Amino acid sequence: MRASEPARLGWAMAWRIARRGLDWRFQGLRLLVVCLVLGAAALSAIGTLTGAIDHELATRGRMMLGGDVEFTLAARPATGREYAAIARAGTVSAGVRMQAMAQTARGDGVAVPVELKAVDAHWPLYGSFTLATPDGKGRSAGAPAGMAAWIAPGVADRLGVGPGDHLRIGAADLVIGGVIANEPDRLGEGFALGPTVIISTAALTQTGLVSTGAMARWKYRVRMGADAAPQDVIAAFKRAFPASGFEFRDRSRASPGLDRFVSRMGQFLVLVALAALAIAGIGIGNGVTGFLDARRGTIATLKILGATSADIGRVFGLQIAVTSVAAIALGLAIGLLSTPLIGTALSGVLPVAAGLVFDPVALATAAGYGLLITMTFAAPPLLRARSFPAMALMRARIVPLALPWRTLALPVGGGLAGIVALAVLPAAQPLLALGFLGGAAALFALLALLGWGLTRIAARVPRPRGTIARMALANLHRPGAQTPALVVALGFALAAFVMLAGVESSLDGNIARRVPARAPDYFVLDVPRPSEATFRDLVTRIVPGATVRTVPALRGSILAYGAPGHMTRVADLKAIPDDAWALRGDRGLTYADALPAGNVLTAGAWWPRGLTGPPQVSIDESLAKVLHLQLGDRLTISLLGVERSATITSFRRIDWDSFGFNYVMVFSPNAIADAPHNLAATVELPADRRTAPVRRAILTALVRALPSSSVIEVGPVLAQARQILSEVGAAVLAAASVAVLAGLAVLAGAIAAQRAARAYDTVILRVLGASQRQLLTLVLAEYGLLCAVLGTVALALGLAIAWGVVVVLFGFAWLPDWWRIGGVLVLGLTLVMALALGGSLSVLRTRPAKVLREL
């Protein structure tokens, strides 16, 4: 080493100097700490939660499904040949699911709709079924025998019955053997329109509810050998019985609806985590900038005393690194400890067990994100402090320091590459993660461009006559102005607020506005066609003025569709798009001579009454677009195991908000009317007759007159749907609140980072004779101009992101509450102004002489 070259500080000496500048309160680095704690907590909690859900779905797939593979058939049992083919795969548990009415044997007329679940002696193939006991421990049980019934707590509560009491369903007199405590395959059964009653298949025969064409679903679950592949069994069955109409599930997708919901929730949680990460990065950059700006004099002094650029980098890099590690560790601990609360809150919506979940991969990933984001956003201010000479640092308030992009390429580019790799490579939806990161980068670039443009425009517009207005405008473009940084930080945070308000209010709108608005009071299933007149007379006699609507109700599945001679077989599709839900399993079918109420013909023509020519079918226009159907194409369905084909002659727009009978496929009567079937009905009561006594009278009369029919009271079903959607909304709100907290920290930090420059300007103006009132007015004018621009930009960007989350990701209707969104935006802008004024008040209380001595 040459004699003129100053000696470098070793790491030990650099750490001694760095340690002297640190304290347990992290003075000057609190914004860095807050942003990293929030980001690490969000990432660790979300990663742990999604990992726990994936683990539950993977390990409990057999239990949730009730087997390794399930064969489901609507309106008829499997034939002998079909059952033999299923039985060759392993041990079979056969059962039936249907809606029914349960009433007490006391003769008091009290009845409740239930989900009737008939099982054989092999049930359950996996898992443990338990009945409640007085000591709360529960006892294991299997399938009920003879005329015994296991009932859900909801049946016991609503009917006031318990073990030993009698229960009547259809023509069967059942004895309650116990109350269900744990049903292992409950999640795999899906949404239920009533509490569960489990009986034997022999007892189901005694009810008299099952007949060909009844709204029942036969389920055949198979327990296979350890080496058997469910997909091979399903493929072989499809080849042997291509027109059978079976729906198939295996243990890897025990609950497709739940899988899709979990997937969407997982996607949203990933977006929230990445959003929190991006917002935290802005806060980290502002925090480190403010920290180093406050120590500019110290850095310059060290350089004058002989410290090299490498020494400066070591000293302050160590301070930032130690603080970051401590903040990340605290965030990981908070995220880890929050998982039991999250699991408890979401246990009714998602398959996640309550309790502490330790996922080392999720914690390591969150820590990696925190370190990479710190490196990426802390590098520019640290490199400025390291690279510039002492004199340039001393004059930085007047002559801003700008680094060439080549200097930043390695640390910033390397950090960004690491973040992209960490987000995309392990992601279940890599394109989603990559798209969001690209969108976040585009948003950063857009806001940075907006800040640059605002600075240029402010420099070129005519100068206002008023002194305050002229100075406020000059503050946006003067040397050292931080307008671009403020626009990026404040714009990103305000857009996050608007996005959250748009998502949350739109979910509330879907819950409160659409679901209950036009629903009938009752759905009635399996009304025998010969009893239609009796049913109508009974309802109108009890409630004059009630509106009764009946439609033929059948179940079938789509086998093939498309142009004649070039039809696409559903069994040949490798994957079914989410929007093509009508291709999954059996669907409701009906026939009509006239266009159904609430439907609008959008293409083609309706068939004439009493059509005797080739069968025709009308298709929902949304499904037609997804499947690329054209008028004149053919549609083949499986109905009771028999293929039926029809020509598509029209498309319809369906009013799904009516909550009435809305069928994707409506056939001409000559296509399917000859198949065995019953009717479905809706009953709508006059507004002044929707009382408890009237509802009880209708239920009692219908159960007595039509014991084979099932009456579903819509109110409790809607309440259950509202509860589920409310829990989803609460989960979304809780998850997104992390990003909001990070946004609040960024707002405070972005304004606090300007405090040093604001102190310098304020002192000079006070020396020149400016009053406190004038200075406060100047702050209001400057930030008022910024808020006017950023409010508009944040509104547009936040609404666009919220629309994508609600409509594209969750598949809900876009129903925002504009007043709430506007209120949130105004609140955010008010917070910006309040923070700006609060920071200025502390500066105004500083004596000018003290500040001038420190310059």
Side-chain angles (χ1 to χ4, degrees):
M1 184 171 62
R2 293 188 302 270
S4 59
E5 184 179 344
R8 292 186 179 182
L9 296 176
W11 283 105
M13 180 59 69
W15 168 240
R16 289 180 62 186
I17 298 174
R19 189 176 58 186
R20 292 175 182 272
L22 288 173
D23 59 42
W24 66 272
R25 294 175 298 177
F26 296 105
Q27 189 73 28
L29 287 171
R30 290 172 185 166
L31 180 60
L32 170 71
V33 171
V34 170
C35 289
L36 270 179
V37 167
L38 288 172
L43 289 164
S44 60
I46 289 172
T48 301
L49 177 64
T50 53
I53 293 173
D54 291 341
H55 178 74
E56 288 289 310
L57 289 175
T59 57
R60 292 174 53 194
R62 288 186 175 94
M63 189 185 305
M64 290 170 55
L65 182 64
D68 293 294
V69 64
E70 179 186 78
F71 300 77
T72 304
L73 196 58
R76 71 172 180 91
T79 64
R81 289 182 60 243
E82 291 168 342
Y83 184 84
I86 295 172
R88 282 195 293 270
T91 303
V92 180
S93 174
V96 181
R97 310 293 185 271
M98 65 184 306
Q99 292 299 128
M101 297 299 297
Q103 56 182 322
T104 65
R106 298 189 296 263
D108 53 10
V110 179
V112 297
V114 298
E115 182 189 60
L116 190 60
K117 178 176 178 176
V119 297
D120 64 9
H122 292 140
W123 180 88
L125 293 175
Y126 290 102
S128 176
F129 174 79
T130 58
L131 295 172
T133 56
D135 59 8
K137 296 181 179 179
R139 65 180 178 90
S140 297
M147 301 304 291
W150 311 142
I151 64 172
V155 179
D157 294 340
R158 295 183 64 180
L159 293 181
V161 294
D165 292 334
H166 285 250
L167 194 69
R168 190 164 188 83
I169 297 180
D173 185 19
L174 304 167
V175 179
I176 299 174
V179 177
I180 299 170
N182 176 58
E183 187 181 353
D185 54 355
R186 177 65 263 167
L187 277 176
E189 299 286 4
F191 186 80
L193 296 176
T196 304
V197 174
I198 303 177
I199 63 175
S200 66
T201 51
L204 178 65
T205 304
Q206 297 299 316
T207 64
L209 299 178
V210 177
S211 60
T212 303
M215 288 294 175
R217 294 167 65 85
W218 276 259
K219 295 193 174 186
Y220 303 90
R221 294 168 174 174
V222 183
R223 180 170 187 155
M224 304 169 59
D227 299 331
Q231 288 297 333
D232 294 342
V233 172
I234 293 173
F237 190 91
K238 286 181 178 180
R239 289 192 298 270
F241 304 96
S244 60
F246 274 88
E247 180 182 357
F248 310 94
R249 289 192 292 166
D250 62 54
R251 62 195 178 215
S252 65
R253 48 189 299 272
S255 180
L258 179 63
D259 290 347
R260 287 190 292 273
F261 174 71
V262 168
S263 175
R264 288 187 173 94
M265 277 299 295
Q267 291 171 351
F268 177 73
L269 291 175
V270 167
L271 295 184
V272 169
L274 294 176
L277 191 70
I279 296 173
I282 299 174
I284 290 167
N286 287 333
V288 173
T289 298
F291 171 72
L292 294 176
D293 283 349
R295 285 150 182 79
R296 188 183 293 120
T298 302
I299 296 171
T301 301
L302 288 173
K303 288 193 172 187
I304 291 172
L305 294 175
T308 65
S309 296
D311 296 335
I312 298 299
R314 287 179 181 178
V315 171
F316 292 96
L318 283 172
Q319 290 183 343
I320 294 170
V322 170
T323 304
S324 300
V325 170
I328 291 170
L330 179 59
L332 296 180
I334 293 174
L336 181 64
L337 295 175
S338 67
T339 51
L341 299 176
I342 299 173
T344 301
L346 298 180
S347 59
V349 181
L350 297 174
V352 56
L356 189 65
V357 179
F358 182 78
D359 188 339
V361 175
L363 296 178
T365 302
Y369 273 125
L371 293 174
L372 286 170
I373 203 74
T374 301
M375 183 182 77
T376 303
F377 285 87
L382 188 59
L383 285 174
R384 280 197 299 268
R386 180 183 186 275
S387 303
F388 286 99
M391 187 58 66
L393 292 173
M394 299 294 286
R395 302 183 60 205
R397 286 195 178 98
I398 300 173
V399 181
L401 305 177
L403 286 170
W405 66 269
R406 294 182 183 86
T407 306
L408 299 174
L410 181 60
V412 175
L416 290 175
I419 291 171
V420 171
L422 200 57
V424 174
L425 294 180
Q429 301 91 17
L431 291 179
L432 175 73
L434 187 61
F436 180 83
L437 289 175
L443 183 57
F444 274 118
L446 178 62
L447 290 172
L449 182 62
L450 176 65
W452 178 85
L454 186 60
T455 302
R456 296 299 182 273
I457 292 172
R460 286 168 173 74
V461 297
R463 300 174 65 185
R465 293 184 178 180
T467 303
I468 298 298
R470 186 166 62 252
M471 294 179 65
L473 186 64
N475 280 347
L476 297 179
H477 66 83
R478 62 176 172 77
Q482 297 297 312
T483 303
L486 276 174
V487 168
V488 172
L490 300 183
F492 211 97
L494 291 172
F497 295 164
V498 172
M499 181 274 292
L500 174 63
V503 171
E504 198 262 341
S505 67
S506 195
L507 290 179
D508 284 351
N510 277 276
I511 296 169
R513 299 180 188 178
R514 291 290 180 93
V515 174
R518 297 163 54 192
D521 295 279
Y522 296 97
F523 281 107
V524 186
L525 305 179
D526 285 326
V527 177
R529 283 185 290 169
S531 302
E532 179 180 3
T534 302
F535 168 72
R536 289 180 176 275
D537 292 342
L538 182 64
V539 173
T540 54
R541 185 173 67 251
I542 297 174
V543 187
T547 302
V548 179
R549 180 188 173 200
T550 60
V551 296
L554 304 91
R555 304 288 297 184
S557 56
I558 299 176
L559 297 178
Y561 59 89
H566 300 86
M567 298 179 69
T568 300
R569 295 178 70 248
V570 176
D572 295 336
L573 295 176
K574 294 183 179 179
I576 296 176
D578 284 346
D579 292 337
W581 51 269
L583 300 182
R584 296 189 183 94
D586 60 277
R587 296 292 148 195
L589 310 174
T590 192
Y591 58 86
D593 273 323
L595 182 68
N599 289 205
V600 177
L601 210 63
T602 58
W606 201 260
W607 47 82
R609 182 177 295 274
L611 177 70
T612 57
Q616 300 181 24
V617 63
S618 179
I619 303 293
D620 169 43
E621 65 172 359
S622 299
L623 179 63
K625 290 178 181 177
V626 172
L627 301 182
H628 306 292
L629 295 174
Q630 303 291 328
L631 296 179
D633 286 352
R634 300 280 290 172
L635 183 75
T636 299
I637 62 170
S638 173
L639 180 61
L640 299 178
V642 178
E643 286 191 18
R644 305 280 183 117
S645 296
T647 301
I648 300 173
T649 56
S650 65
F651 299 138
R652 294 166 293 118
R653 183 183 302 117
I654 300 174
D655 181 12
W656 295 105
D657 298 333
S658 66
F659 212 82
F661 289 118
N662 294 309
Y663 287 89
V664 173
M665 296 167 282
V666 178
F667 291 83
S668 59
N670 65 334
I672 59 175
D674 59 320
H677 65 279
N678 292 319
L679 304 177
T682 59
V683 178
E684 186 172 353
L685 305 179
D688 59 345
R689 302 300 304 276
R690 292 171 180 164
T691 61
V694 171
R695 294 180 183 277
R696 191 179 306 113
I698 290 179
L699 281 174
T700 302
L702 289 176
V703 170
R704 288 175 177 172
L706 302 169
S708 63
S709 300
S710 301
V711 184
I712 301 170
E713 194 171 0
V714 176
V717 175
L718 292 180
Q720 184 180 0
R722 281 194 295 268
Q723 180 182 358
I724 292 175
L725 289 175
S726 296
E727 291 175 352
V728 173
V732 169
L733 181 62
S737 62
V738 177
V740 172
L741 291 175
L744 291 173
V746 167
L747 285 181
I751 294 173
Q754 313 304 313
R755 187 171 298 172
R758 182 70 59 187
Y760 177 82
D761 295 342
T762 300
V763 166
I764 297 298
L765 291 173
R766 287 179 66 184
V767 170
L768 295 176
S771 66
Q772 289 191 0
R773 180 179 178 183
Q774 287 175 318
L775 293 174
L776 290 176
T777 305
L778 176 60
V779 171
L780 287 174
E782 179 184 346
Y783 279 92
L785 287 172
L786 275 176
C787 288
V789 175
L790 292 179
T792 304
V793 173
L795 182 64
L797 293 176
L799 288 177
I801 298 170
W803 180 88
V805 171
V806 172
V807 177
V808 179
L809 192 58
F810 283 121
F812 291 149
W814 175 240
L815 297 172
D817 184 338
W818 298 109
W819 286 104
R820 191 184 308 179
I821 293 173
V824 168
L825 179 59
V826 170
L827 184 62
L829 295 173
T830 304
L831 182 62
V832 171
M833 300 298 292
L835 290 172
L837 284 176
S840 298
L841 287 174
S842 64
V843 172
L844 289 175
R845 287 194 294 267
T846 305
R847 293 181 179 276
K850 178 182 178 182
V851 176
L852 290 173
R853 282 196 300 268
E854 295 175 352
L855 291 177

